[in-house]
Amino acid sequence: MLDIAAQTRRRRRTTAVSFAVLAVIALVITGFAVKYPGLSPSEVDVSNGGVWVRDEAAGLVARVNVDAGELDARLTVAGEDLEIIQDGYTVLLIDARWITPVNTASVQRDPLVDLTPGSTVRLGHDRVAIASPEGKVWILSPGQVPGFSPAEVEPAYTTGGSAAEIVVGSDGTVFVLDGTTLMTFPHADDPGRTTAAEPAELDALSTAADQVQLSVVGNVPVLLDAENSMLRLGVSGMEHDLAADGIGSLDDAELQQAGPAADDVVLATESALVRVPLAGGEARESAAGAPGTPVPPAQVGSCAYGAWTQSNLYVRACDGAEAMVASVPDADSSADLALRVNRGLVVLNDQGSGLSWKIAEDMELVDEGREDKGTGTGTVTLDMRQEGETPGPQAAADAVTTVQVGGGWKPPVEAHLHASLPSGHEGRRIP
Protein backbone atom coordinates (compact mmCIF):
# COMPACT_ATOMS: atom_id res chain seq x y z
CA MET A 1 0.00 0.00 0.00
CA LEU A 2 2.85 2.38 0.86
CA ASP A 3 4.48 1.59 -2.46
CA ILE A 4 1.28 2.39 -4.33
CA ALA A 5 0.88 5.67 -2.46
CA ALA A 6 4.47 6.63 -3.17
CA GLN A 7 4.08 5.86 -6.87
CA THR A 8 0.91 7.97 -6.95
CA ARG A 9 2.71 10.92 -5.36
CA ARG A 10 5.59 10.57 -7.84
CA ARG A 11 3.18 10.52 -10.76
CA ARG A 12 1.48 13.63 -9.45
CA ARG A 13 4.80 15.41 -9.03
CA THR A 14 5.88 14.36 -12.53
CA THR A 15 2.59 15.57 -13.99
CA ALA A 16 2.88 18.87 -12.14
CA VAL A 17 6.42 19.36 -13.38
CA SER A 18 5.38 18.52 -16.96
CA PHE A 19 2.57 21.08 -16.87
CA ALA A 20 4.91 23.64 -15.38
CA VAL A 21 7.45 23.10 -18.16
CA LEU A 22 4.75 23.38 -20.79
CA ALA A 23 3.45 26.57 -19.18
CA VAL A 24 6.92 28.14 -19.23
CA ILE A 25 7.40 27.18 -22.89
CA ALA A 26 4.01 28.65 -23.77
CA LEU A 27 4.87 31.92 -21.98
CA VAL A 28 8.20 32.15 -23.79
CA ILE A 29 6.57 31.57 -27.18
CA THR A 30 3.83 34.08 -26.39
CA GLY A 31 6.36 36.68 -25.29
CA PHE A 32 8.40 36.14 -28.45
CA ALA A 33 5.29 36.47 -30.59
CA VAL A 34 4.36 39.74 -28.90
CA LYS A 35 7.84 41.21 -29.24
CA TYR A 36 8.34 39.88 -32.76
CA PRO A 37 4.98 39.93 -34.57
CA GLY A 38 6.52 38.00 -37.44
CA LEU A 39 5.24 37.73 -41.00
CA SER A 40 1.76 37.79 -42.37
CA PRO A 41 0.57 34.56 -44.07
CA SER A 42 1.19 36.11 -47.48
CA GLU A 43 4.82 36.78 -46.52
CA VAL A 44 5.62 33.27 -45.32
CA ASP A 45 7.22 31.08 -47.99
CA VAL A 46 6.15 27.56 -47.12
CA SER A 47 8.45 24.85 -48.45
CA ASN A 48 9.00 21.21 -47.58
CA GLY A 49 12.75 21.81 -47.51
CA GLY A 50 13.40 19.64 -50.52
CA VAL A 51 13.60 19.52 -54.29
CA TRP A 52 12.37 16.48 -56.19
CA VAL A 53 14.66 15.14 -58.92
CA ARG A 54 14.62 12.29 -61.42
CA ASP A 55 16.81 9.21 -61.86
CA GLU A 56 15.80 7.59 -65.14
CA ALA A 57 18.40 4.81 -64.92
CA ALA A 58 16.97 3.60 -61.61
CA GLY A 59 13.38 4.37 -62.59
CA LEU A 60 12.71 6.62 -59.64
CA VAL A 61 12.18 10.15 -58.41
CA ALA A 62 13.85 11.34 -55.22
CA ARG A 63 13.75 14.26 -52.84
CA VAL A 64 16.94 16.22 -52.22
CA ASN A 65 17.27 17.60 -48.72
CA VAL A 66 19.19 20.67 -49.82
CA ASP A 67 20.38 21.69 -46.35
CA ALA A 68 21.75 18.22 -45.61
CA GLY A 69 23.01 17.69 -49.16
CA GLU A 70 21.50 14.22 -49.42
CA LEU A 71 18.46 12.32 -50.62
CA ASP A 72 15.86 11.72 -47.92
CA ALA A 73 13.11 10.02 -49.98
CA ARG A 74 12.83 7.85 -53.07
CA LEU A 75 9.81 6.75 -55.04
CA THR A 76 10.02 4.33 -57.93
CA VAL A 77 7.80 5.31 -60.84
CA ALA A 78 7.51 3.75 -64.27
CA GLY A 79 6.56 6.10 -67.07
CA GLU A 80 7.54 7.54 -70.41
CA ASP A 81 8.85 11.12 -70.62
CA LEU A 82 8.27 11.56 -66.90
CA GLU A 83 8.23 15.15 -65.67
CA ILE A 84 8.15 16.61 -62.16
CA ILE A 85 6.47 19.89 -61.27
CA GLN A 86 6.58 21.17 -57.71
CA ASP A 87 5.56 24.12 -55.58
CA GLY A 88 6.15 23.74 -51.85
CA TYR A 89 4.41 20.60 -50.61
CA THR A 90 2.54 20.16 -53.91
CA VAL A 91 4.41 17.74 -56.17
CA LEU A 92 2.96 16.28 -59.36
CA LEU A 93 4.40 13.54 -61.57
CA ILE A 94 3.36 13.81 -65.20
CA ASP A 95 3.70 11.28 -67.98
CA ALA A 96 2.52 11.56 -71.58
CA ARG A 97 -0.63 9.69 -70.51
CA TRP A 98 -1.27 10.45 -66.84
CA ILE A 99 -0.76 12.67 -63.83
CA THR A 100 -0.43 11.72 -60.17
CA PRO A 101 0.13 13.79 -57.04
CA VAL A 102 2.84 12.75 -54.57
CA ASN A 103 2.05 12.62 -50.87
CA THR A 104 5.30 14.13 -49.63
CA ALA A 105 4.61 13.21 -46.00
CA SER A 106 4.18 9.47 -46.56
CA VAL A 107 6.32 9.37 -49.73
CA GLN A 108 3.58 7.69 -51.74
CA ARG A 109 1.76 8.72 -54.86
CA ASP A 110 -1.99 8.91 -55.36
CA PRO A 111 -3.77 6.76 -57.94
CA LEU A 112 -3.01 7.66 -61.54
CA VAL A 113 -5.32 10.04 -63.37
CA ASP A 114 -5.62 9.54 -67.12
CA LEU A 115 -4.92 12.50 -69.40
CA THR A 116 -5.44 12.94 -73.10
CA PRO A 117 -2.05 11.97 -74.60
CA GLY A 118 -0.01 15.07 -75.34
CA SER A 119 -1.59 17.22 -72.62
CA THR A 120 0.38 19.98 -70.87
CA VAL A 121 0.25 20.49 -67.11
CA ARG A 122 1.44 23.57 -65.22
CA LEU A 123 1.49 24.39 -61.50
CA GLY A 124 1.73 27.64 -59.58
CA HIS A 125 0.76 28.54 -56.02
CA ASP A 126 -2.50 26.64 -55.41
CA ARG A 127 -3.58 26.21 -59.01
CA VAL A 128 -3.03 23.48 -61.60
CA ALA A 129 -3.69 24.19 -65.28
CA ILE A 130 -4.14 21.43 -67.83
CA ALA A 131 -4.28 21.96 -71.60
CA SER A 132 -5.29 19.20 -73.99
CA PRO A 133 -4.07 18.91 -77.59
CA GLU A 134 -7.58 19.64 -78.91
CA GLY A 135 -7.66 23.06 -77.21
CA LYS A 136 -9.40 22.57 -73.86
CA VAL A 137 -7.98 24.23 -70.74
CA TRP A 138 -8.92 23.28 -67.18
CA ILE A 139 -8.08 25.17 -63.98
CA LEU A 140 -8.04 23.10 -60.78
CA SER A 141 -6.80 23.17 -57.24
CA PRO A 142 -4.21 20.48 -56.36
CA GLY A 143 -6.85 18.75 -54.25
CA GLN A 144 -9.10 18.36 -57.29
CA VAL A 145 -6.46 16.58 -59.39
CA PRO A 146 -7.12 13.03 -58.08
CA GLY A 147 -10.77 13.26 -59.15
CA PHE A 148 -10.13 14.96 -62.49
CA SER A 149 -11.53 13.49 -65.69
CA PRO A 150 -11.21 15.32 -69.04
CA ALA A 151 -14.53 13.87 -70.12
CA GLU A 152 -16.47 14.93 -67.03
CA VAL A 153 -15.02 18.29 -65.95
CA GLU A 154 -16.08 21.44 -67.79
CA PRO A 155 -13.07 23.34 -69.20
CA ALA A 156 -12.45 26.94 -68.18
CA TYR A 157 -11.54 27.80 -71.78
CA THR A 158 -11.64 26.22 -75.22
CA THR A 159 -9.65 27.35 -78.26
CA GLY A 160 -10.73 27.04 -81.85
CA GLY A 161 -9.22 23.57 -81.99
CA SER A 162 -5.47 23.93 -81.59
CA ALA A 163 -3.50 23.37 -78.39
CA ALA A 164 -2.97 26.42 -76.19
CA GLU A 165 0.19 27.41 -74.34
CA ILE A 166 -0.40 27.75 -70.59
CA VAL A 167 1.50 28.96 -67.54
CA VAL A 168 0.58 29.68 -63.91
CA GLY A 169 1.90 32.68 -62.00
CA SER A 170 3.17 32.65 -58.43
CA ASP A 171 -0.18 34.05 -57.25
CA GLY A 172 -2.24 31.39 -59.05
CA THR A 173 -3.12 33.53 -62.08
CA VAL A 174 -3.37 31.37 -65.22
CA PHE A 175 -2.25 32.70 -68.59
CA VAL A 176 -3.39 31.06 -71.82
CA LEU A 177 -1.93 31.83 -75.24
CA ASP A 178 -4.43 31.02 -77.97
CA GLY A 179 -2.71 31.85 -81.25
CA THR A 180 -1.96 35.57 -80.91
CA THR A 181 -4.48 36.13 -78.11
CA LEU A 182 -3.27 36.19 -74.52
CA MET A 183 -5.96 35.30 -72.00
CA THR A 184 -5.64 36.07 -68.28
CA PHE A 185 -7.54 34.08 -65.65
CA PRO A 186 -7.08 35.79 -62.27
CA HIS A 187 -7.03 33.63 -59.16
CA ALA A 188 -10.52 32.90 -57.82
CA ASP A 189 -11.47 31.35 -54.48
CA ASP A 190 -13.32 28.62 -56.33
CA PRO A 191 -11.32 27.25 -59.30
CA GLY A 192 -14.57 26.24 -60.96
CA ARG A 193 -15.67 29.87 -61.06
CA THR A 194 -12.47 31.23 -62.62
CA THR A 195 -13.28 33.68 -65.39
CA ALA A 196 -11.11 35.44 -67.94
CA ALA A 197 -10.15 39.09 -67.86
CA GLU A 198 -10.12 41.19 -71.04
CA PRO A 199 -8.03 39.35 -73.68
CA ALA A 200 -4.96 40.98 -75.19
CA GLU A 201 -4.19 40.76 -78.89
CA LEU A 202 -0.46 40.50 -79.60
CA ASP A 203 0.02 41.80 -83.11
CA ALA A 204 2.93 40.51 -85.20
CA LEU A 205 3.51 37.54 -82.89
CA SER A 206 4.73 34.47 -84.73
CA THR A 207 1.98 31.98 -85.44
CA ALA A 208 4.39 29.05 -85.61
CA ALA A 209 3.85 27.08 -82.40
CA ASP A 210 7.47 25.91 -82.22
CA GLN A 211 8.72 29.50 -82.37
CA VAL A 212 6.86 30.87 -79.33
CA GLN A 213 7.42 30.08 -75.65
CA LEU A 214 5.30 31.33 -72.76
CA SER A 215 6.49 31.78 -69.18
CA VAL A 216 5.83 34.04 -66.21
CA VAL A 217 7.92 36.04 -63.73
CA GLY A 218 5.79 36.42 -60.61
CA ASN A 219 2.51 37.38 -62.22
CA VAL A 220 4.02 39.03 -65.32
CA PRO A 221 3.61 36.91 -68.47
CA VAL A 222 6.56 36.78 -70.87
CA LEU A 223 6.74 35.41 -74.41
CA LEU A 224 9.81 34.55 -76.45
CA ASP A 225 9.17 34.95 -80.17
CA ALA A 226 12.27 33.31 -81.63
CA GLU A 227 11.20 33.83 -85.23
CA ASN A 228 11.14 37.61 -84.76
CA SER A 229 13.99 37.78 -82.20
CA MET A 230 11.57 39.43 -79.83
CA LEU A 231 10.47 39.24 -76.21
CA ARG A 232 6.90 40.29 -75.41
CA LEU A 233 6.62 41.51 -71.82
CA GLY A 234 3.52 41.76 -69.68
CA VAL A 235 -0.15 41.48 -70.57
CA SER A 236 0.25 44.39 -72.98
CA GLY A 237 2.93 42.49 -74.89
CA MET A 238 5.54 45.27 -74.77
CA GLU A 239 8.21 44.48 -77.33
CA HIS A 240 11.89 44.02 -76.51
CA ASP A 241 14.09 43.57 -79.58
CA LEU A 242 16.76 40.99 -78.76
CA ALA A 243 18.51 41.50 -82.09
CA ALA A 244 19.09 45.15 -81.14
CA ASP A 245 20.85 43.90 -78.00
CA GLY A 246 23.19 41.84 -80.16
CA ILE A 247 21.72 38.52 -79.01
CA GLY A 248 22.65 35.83 -81.52
CA SER A 249 20.67 32.89 -82.85
CA LEU A 250 17.55 31.92 -80.90
CA ASP A 251 17.05 28.63 -82.74
CA ASP A 252 17.65 26.54 -79.60
CA ALA A 253 16.94 29.27 -77.05
CA GLU A 254 15.00 28.44 -73.90
CA LEU A 255 12.87 30.89 -71.93
CA GLN A 256 13.10 30.67 -68.16
CA GLN A 257 10.90 28.42 -66.09
CA ALA A 258 7.93 30.04 -64.37
CA GLY A 259 9.37 31.75 -61.34
CA PRO A 260 8.84 34.30 -58.57
CA ALA A 261 8.66 38.04 -59.04
CA ALA A 262 11.96 39.56 -60.21
CA ASP A 263 13.31 42.58 -62.04
CA ASP A 264 14.48 40.51 -65.00
CA VAL A 265 13.36 37.71 -67.26
CA VAL A 266 16.01 35.14 -68.17
CA LEU A 267 16.62 33.15 -71.33
CA ALA A 268 19.43 30.89 -72.45
CA THR A 269 20.88 30.72 -75.94
CA GLU A 270 23.30 28.07 -77.14
CA SER A 271 26.22 29.98 -75.64
CA ALA A 272 24.98 32.49 -73.04
CA LEU A 273 22.62 33.24 -70.18
CA VAL A 274 20.71 36.46 -70.93
CA ARG A 275 18.92 38.70 -68.40
CA VAL A 276 16.46 41.28 -69.73
CA PRO A 277 14.90 43.97 -67.49
CA LEU A 278 11.11 43.67 -67.41
CA ALA A 279 10.81 47.45 -67.17
CA GLY A 280 12.94 47.94 -70.28
CA GLY A 281 16.65 48.40 -70.75
CA GLU A 282 19.63 46.67 -72.27
CA ALA A 283 20.02 42.92 -71.93
CA ARG A 284 22.99 41.52 -69.98
CA GLU A 285 24.78 38.43 -71.26
CA SER A 286 26.86 35.93 -69.31
CA ALA A 287 28.80 33.75 -71.76
CA ALA A 288 28.82 30.02 -71.10
CA GLY A 289 32.30 29.54 -72.54
CA ALA A 290 31.35 27.04 -75.25
CA PRO A 291 28.23 26.25 -77.26
CA GLY A 292 25.81 23.61 -76.06
CA THR A 293 22.11 22.84 -75.87
CA PRO A 294 20.48 25.02 -73.21
CA VAL A 295 17.95 23.72 -70.70
CA PRO A 296 15.20 26.05 -69.44
CA PRO A 297 16.99 28.46 -67.07
CA ALA A 298 15.71 29.51 -63.66
CA GLN A 299 15.65 32.47 -61.30
CA VAL A 300 15.81 32.01 -57.54
CA GLY A 301 16.31 35.00 -55.27
CA SER A 302 18.78 37.44 -56.79
CA CYS A 303 20.46 34.78 -58.95
CA ALA A 304 19.86 33.38 -62.42
CA TYR A 305 20.95 29.86 -63.35
CA GLY A 306 21.68 28.27 -66.72
CA ALA A 307 22.97 24.87 -67.82
CA TRP A 308 23.87 23.31 -71.15
CA THR A 309 23.93 19.68 -72.20
CA GLN A 310 26.65 18.38 -74.54
CA SER A 311 29.07 21.01 -73.27
CA ASN A 312 28.09 20.22 -69.64
CA LEU A 313 28.58 23.82 -68.55
CA TYR A 314 26.65 25.91 -66.05
CA VAL A 315 26.34 29.62 -65.23
CA ARG A 316 25.34 31.19 -61.94
CA ALA A 317 24.78 34.95 -62.33
CA CYS A 318 23.90 36.85 -59.15
CA ASP A 319 23.26 40.56 -58.66
CA GLY A 320 26.36 42.42 -57.55
CA ALA A 321 28.76 39.56 -58.25
CA GLU A 322 30.75 38.24 -61.18
CA ALA A 323 29.05 35.38 -62.95
CA MET A 324 30.31 31.88 -62.15
CA VAL A 325 30.98 29.81 -65.29
CA ALA A 326 32.31 26.26 -64.98
CA SER A 327 31.95 22.64 -66.04
CA VAL A 328 29.48 20.42 -64.22
CA PRO A 329 31.68 18.11 -62.11
CA ASP A 330 31.36 14.34 -62.69
CA ALA A 331 28.82 14.80 -65.52
CA ASP A 332 29.46 12.58 -68.54
CA SER A 333 28.83 13.37 -72.19
CA SER A 334 25.33 11.84 -72.10
CA ALA A 335 24.13 13.90 -69.14
CA ASP A 336 20.48 14.98 -69.43
CA LEU A 337 20.61 18.14 -67.33
CA ALA A 338 17.62 19.95 -65.82
CA LEU A 339 17.30 22.73 -63.28
CA ARG A 340 14.85 21.71 -60.56
CA VAL A 341 13.29 24.46 -58.47
CA ASN A 342 11.00 24.36 -55.46
CA ARG A 343 10.21 27.78 -54.07
CA GLY A 344 13.55 29.21 -52.90
CA LEU A 345 15.56 26.05 -53.55
CA VAL A 346 17.32 24.99 -56.75
CA VAL A 347 19.45 22.01 -57.76
CA LEU A 348 20.94 20.84 -61.05
CA ASN A 349 19.82 17.31 -61.90
CA ASP A 350 21.15 14.80 -64.42
CA GLN A 351 17.85 13.08 -65.16
CA GLY A 352 19.59 10.13 -66.76
CA SER A 353 21.96 9.10 -63.96
CA GLY A 354 20.16 10.74 -61.04
CA LEU A 355 23.18 12.81 -59.99
CA SER A 356 22.30 16.20 -58.49
CA TRP A 357 24.36 19.25 -57.58
CA LYS A 358 23.77 22.17 -55.21
CA ILE A 359 24.14 24.77 -57.94
CA ALA A 360 23.22 27.67 -55.64
CA GLU A 361 26.32 27.03 -53.55
CA ASP A 362 29.54 25.25 -54.47
CA MET A 363 28.18 22.58 -56.86
CA GLU A 364 28.56 19.98 -54.13
CA LEU A 365 27.35 16.60 -55.37
CA VAL A 366 24.30 15.41 -53.46
CA ASP A 367 24.91 12.25 -51.44
CA GLU A 368 22.67 9.55 -52.86
CA GLY A 369 23.07 7.42 -49.73
CA ARG A 370 23.02 4.11 -51.58
CA GLU A 371 25.91 2.44 -49.83
CA ASP A 372 24.92 0.09 -46.97
CA LYS A 373 25.59 1.81 -43.65
CA GLY A 374 23.95 -0.80 -41.47
CA THR A 375 20.44 0.63 -41.46
CA GLY A 376 19.00 -2.20 -43.54
CA THR A 377 18.11 -2.43 -47.21
CA GLY A 378 15.04 -3.45 -49.12
CA THR A 379 12.30 -2.49 -51.51
CA VAL A 380 8.63 -2.13 -50.75
CA THR A 381 6.46 -2.68 -53.80
CA LEU A 382 2.96 -1.29 -53.47
CA ASP A 383 -0.11 -1.78 -55.62
CA MET A 384 -1.51 1.77 -55.54
CA ARG A 385 -4.95 0.80 -56.82
CA GLN A 386 -7.71 1.31 -54.30
CA GLU A 387 -9.97 -1.63 -53.54
CA GLY A 388 -12.36 -2.04 -56.43
CA GLU A 389 -10.59 0.60 -58.49
CA THR A 390 -10.19 -0.05 -62.20
CA PRO A 391 -7.76 2.49 -63.64
CA GLY A 392 -8.15 3.63 -67.23
CA PRO A 393 -6.39 1.59 -69.90
CA GLN A 394 -3.57 4.10 -70.19
CA ALA A 395 -2.85 4.14 -66.46
CA ALA A 396 -3.36 0.46 -65.60
CA ALA A 397 0.14 -0.63 -66.55
CA ASP A 398 1.69 2.02 -64.30
CA ALA A 399 -0.35 1.35 -61.16
CA VAL A 400 2.47 -0.24 -59.16
CA THR A 401 4.69 1.96 -57.02
CA THR A 402 7.91 1.03 -55.24
CA VAL A 403 9.44 2.88 -52.32
CA GLN A 404 13.11 2.00 -51.96
CA VAL A 405 14.39 1.65 -48.44
CA GLY A 406 18.03 1.02 -47.75
CA GLY A 407 21.62 2.04 -47.53
CA GLY A 408 22.23 5.09 -45.41
CA TRP A 409 18.79 6.45 -46.24
CA LYS A 410 15.93 6.11 -43.75
CA PRO A 411 12.57 7.35 -44.95
CA PRO A 412 10.19 8.84 -42.41
CA VAL A 413 7.55 6.25 -43.37
CA GLU A 414 9.75 3.14 -43.21
CA ALA A 415 8.14 1.88 -40.01
CA HIS A 416 4.53 2.08 -41.14
CA LEU A 417 4.49 1.45 -44.88
CA HIS A 418 2.58 -1.79 -44.48
CA ALA A 419 0.42 -0.70 -41.56
CA SER A 420 -0.81 2.34 -43.46
CA LEU A 421 -1.97 0.43 -46.52
CA PRO A 422 -5.75 0.61 -46.94
CA SER A 423 -7.73 -2.58 -47.29
CA GLY A 424 -7.40 -3.95 -50.79
CA HIS A 425 -3.79 -2.85 -51.28
CA GLU A 426 -1.02 -5.36 -51.74
CA GLY A 427 2.53 -4.95 -50.56
CA ARG A 428 5.58 -7.13 -50.27
CA ARG A 429 8.96 -6.61 -48.72
CA ILE A 430 12.01 -7.88 -50.59
CA PRO A 431 14.97 -8.45 -48.25
Side-chain angles (χ1 to χ4, degrees):
M1 180 67 69
L2 290 176
D3 288 342
I4 294 174
Q7 291 174 9
T8 301
R9 286 195 296 274
R10 284 196 296 271
R11 283 196 296 268
R12 286 174 179 170
R13 286 197 298 270
T14 301
T15 302
V17 171
S18 299
F19 278 114
V21 171
L22 290 173
V24 171
I25 292 173
L27 286 171
V28 171
I29 293 173
T30 302
F32 182 84
V34 170
K35 186 173 182 181
Y36 302 99
L39 301 173
S40 68
S42 63
E43 295 173 311
V44 176
D45 187 14
V46 178
S47 173
N48 64 5
V51 179
W52 287 81
V53 298
R54 184 184 179 196
D55 183 343
E56 184 179 9
L60 58 83
V61 295
R63 184 174 59 205
V64 175
N65 183 321
V66 178
D67 290 337
E70 63 184 19
L71 302 183
D72 65 6
R74 292 188 181 93
L75 184 63
T76 297
V77 181
E80 302 172 3
D81 301 322
L82 187 70
E83 186 53 271
I84 307 167
I85 57 176
Q86 51 197 312
D87 191 326
Y89 289 95
T90 302
V91 179
L92 303 175
L93 304 181
I94 303 154
D95 182 81
R97 305 166 298 162
W98 50 256
I99 180 174
T100 180
V102 174
N103 185 322
T104 57
S106 62
V107 195
Q108 296 182 25
R109 72 179 187 188
D110 289 344
L112 303 175
V113 176
D114 283 329
L115 294 176
T116 304
S119 293
T120 301
V121 182
R122 297 289 183 260
L123 168 68
H125 188 45
D126 61 350
R127 288 294 175 265
V128 178
I130 302 174
S132 69
E134 64 269 20
K136 295 181 179 180
V137 177
W138 294 269
I139 299 174
L140 315 170
S141 70
Q144 292 173 324
V145 171
F148 173 71
S149 169
E152 298 177 5
V153 178
E154 189 72 19
Y157 180 76
T158 303
T159 70
S162 59
E165 290 286 327
I166 56 172
V167 71
V168 186
S170 58
D171 62 352
T173 299
V174 177
F175 298 97
V176 178
L177 182 64
D178 179 6
T180 60
T181 302
L182 181 63
M183 307 290 299
T184 301
F185 292 83
H187 184 279
D189 292 338
D190 180 359
R193 296 182 179 274
T194 304
T195 56
E198 188 71 22
E201 290 297 329
L202 304 180
D203 296 333
L205 183 71
S206 173
T207 56
D210 62 348
Q211 293 294 305
V212 178
Q213 299 176 40
L214 172 66
S215 190
V216 65
V217 181
N219 61 357
V220 179
V222 180
L223 294 103
L224 172 61
D225 182 347
E227 182 179 3
N228 295 307
S229 296
M230 194 77 66
L231 279 175
R232 306 296 292 268
L233 309 175
V235 175
S236 64
M238 181 179 71
E239 297 183 355
H240 183 101
D241 189 351
L242 294 171
D245 286 331
I247 306 301
S249 172
L250 297 175
D251 289 345
D252 295 318
E254 292 283 355
L255 189 58
Q256 75 162 72
Q257 303 174 33
D263 293 333
D264 302 326
V265 60
V266 178
L267 65 139
T269 67
E270 65 175 6
S271 58
L273 188 68
V274 182
R275 291 176 286 173
V276 178
L278 288 171
E282 189 174 353
R284 308 186 307 281
E285 277 191 277
S286 298
T293 301
V295 305
Q299 281 198 93
V300 176
S302 61
C303 297
Y305 302 90
W308 290 259
T309 60
Q310 298 179 332
S311 62
N312 285 344
L313 294 167
Y314 76 94
V315 169
R316 181 175 67 239
C318 300
D319 292 344
E322 185 177 352
M324 167 68 73
V325 182
S327 297
V328 179
D330 299 317
D332 61 31
S333 58
S334 62
D336 183 11
L337 301 176
L339 286 159
R340 302 286 186 189
V341 179
N342 193 355
R343 298 286 175 90
L345 304 173
V346 56
V347 298
L348 181 62
N349 172 217
D350 177 1
Q351 302 176 100
S353 68
L355 295 177
S356 295
W357 297 265
K358 297 169 68 173
I359 192 172
E361 300 173 28
D362 54 4
M363 284 298 284
E364 175 187 347
L365 188 63
V366 172
D367 182 6
E368 297 182 90
R370 294 185 180 180
E371 63 274 17
D372 191 351
K373 299 180 181 177
T375 59
T377 61
T379 301
V380 179
T381 302
L382 307 175
D383 187 338
M384 299 306 293
R385 290 168 291 188
Q386 302 289 344
E387 183 175 7
E389 175 191 6
T390 304
Q394 296 174 337
D398 300 309
V400 174
T401 292
T402 301
V403 179
Q404 294 189 342
V405 180
W409 171 73
K410 297 179 70 176
V413 295
E414 181 176 7
H416 66 267
L417 277 170
H418 294 282
S420 64
L421 288 176
S423 173
H425 281 69
E426 299 176 358
R428 60 189 179 93
R429 178 113 186 169
I430 305 173

